[in-house]
Amino acid sequence: MTSAAGAAGRYLGQTLRLMVGVPDYETYVEHMRRTHPDQEPMSYEDFFRERQEARYGGKKRIGCC
């Protein structure tokens, strides 16, 4: 796979994950290492939980279920 094709594949995969609401942990870790090297990134489980709560409201959600 060429470099351009590989980049396009990664971009497409990231786009599809974002469309269906799956958080991109690898992008988060890369961001943390680049811009916040003094902070430890969250574990995948903590990251996933935080993204779900941000998307669906966590414990503050008001609804029937």
Side-chain angles (χ1 to χ4, degrees):
M1 192 179 285
T2 67
S3 178
R10 285 189 300 277
Y11 178 75
L12 178 60
Q14 180 181 17
T15 300
L16 292 173
R17 284 188 297 275
L18 291 173
M19 287 174 64
V20 297
V22 176
D24 191 2
Y25 182 70
E26 291 80 23
T27 300
Y28 159 74
V29 170
E30 178 64 30
H31 165 80
M32 289 298 290
R33 291 204 172 125
R34 237 186 9 259
T35 59
H36 309 284
D38 58 321
Q39 297 178 18
E40 184 73 24
M42 290 184 271
S43 68
Y44 178 81
E45 292 78 15
D46 291 340
F47 172 78
F48 188 82
R49 186 178 318 109
E50 191 275 332
R51 291 289 78 218
Q52 291 294 306
E53 288 175 2
R55 181 175 182 160
Y56 297 111
K59 296 177 174 72
K60 300 176 201 136
R61 183 170 179 227
I62 298 172
C64 65
C65 303

